[in-house]
Amino acid sequence: MHTFPPQHRDDIPSLTIVVPCYNEEEVFSFCVSELTSLLNTAIEEKKITVQSHILFVDDGSRDKTWSLIEQAAQTDNLVHGIRLSRNRGHQIALMAGLSCTETDISVSIDADLQDDTACIPQMVAKYMEGNEIVYGVRSDRSCDSFFKRWSANSFYKLMEVMGIQQVANHADFRLLSRRALHSLLQFEEQNIYLRGMIPLLGYRSTQVFYSRKERCAGESKYPFYKMLSLAIEGITSLTIKPLRLISLLGAFTCLFSIFISIFVIIKKFYGHAILGWASVEISIFFLGGVQLLCLGVIGEYIGKIYMETKHRPKFFIQDKI
């Protein structure tokens, strides 16, 4: 296989920083101040063009997030905003923002400023070297609790076992070129897991590493149950391996039942009948639980098929500024 060096770019790119927001009034002022300062510096240094801006996506917030976005947009030309008609979740909100992007490159980042904004100029530099996708990857998890680190590592290992390609310790802090973004927007599925979809594009990519910071204000919008839901979404959206595991489990259970039956018949033939009902009851409950679990996994896939066949729009934009 021949490998080709990346094609270096000469033209200064325009940049959109896409920031999904859900009830982020406490952190918004910090976020807009830091990002506008970063853009102004990059524009002055001629790293990006004056057409660059920040695009805040209000994901149906119930607090003052949208009014703060409006105020910021009225006082600073670098700030743009869209508001979705209702809450659709982080992944769809991010897709909504990306679909409104018309610049050469886009960088997605969460409003909580835990991802290191100083990496954005590095990402732009990597793009100028010829990369189409640049992942922001955490170099350590020292600021996380033991349970958070354990659950995150378990999640990435599970995804690897399931055959899902994704970058370990990478969330949704990344740069996409116009070419990569155009390809991503051709994905039409309703069930979106961007961390697994982006590697499917196959374009030249690289990584920048950083240490994640503490949230500067407000509360996390991703508690454990939402992380678990995201993991289930990623697995069921990108692989059918759980269905194959169910088939293997069924085959193993059948073989085990045959061996047990032969064992019981032999015992009966030699006059050593197995008495008692406890073993029978345990077997029934065990197999019943396995069957219900299998039906649940199958139902999850059927539910996704049901939602995909409707071809509903992913989101509606209520306001733009």
Side-chain angles (χ1 to χ4, degrees), residues 90 261 279:
H90 179 271
S261 299
S279 57

Side-chain angles (χ1 to χ4, degrees), residues 105-116:
I105 53 178
S106 59
V107 171
S108 56
I109 190 171
D110 290 339
D112 57 18
L113 296 181
Q114 288 187 276
D115 297 316
D116 189 0

Side-chain angles (χ1 to χ4, degrees), residues 140-159:
D140 67 83
R141 289 184 167 271
S142 56
C143 65
D144 291 343
S145 65
F146 171 79
F147 178 76
K148 183 78 172 179
R149 290 195 299 270
W150 174 83
S151 59
N153 291 331
S154 300
F155 167 73
Y156 289 118
K157 288 178 182 178
L158 177 61
M159 288 298 197

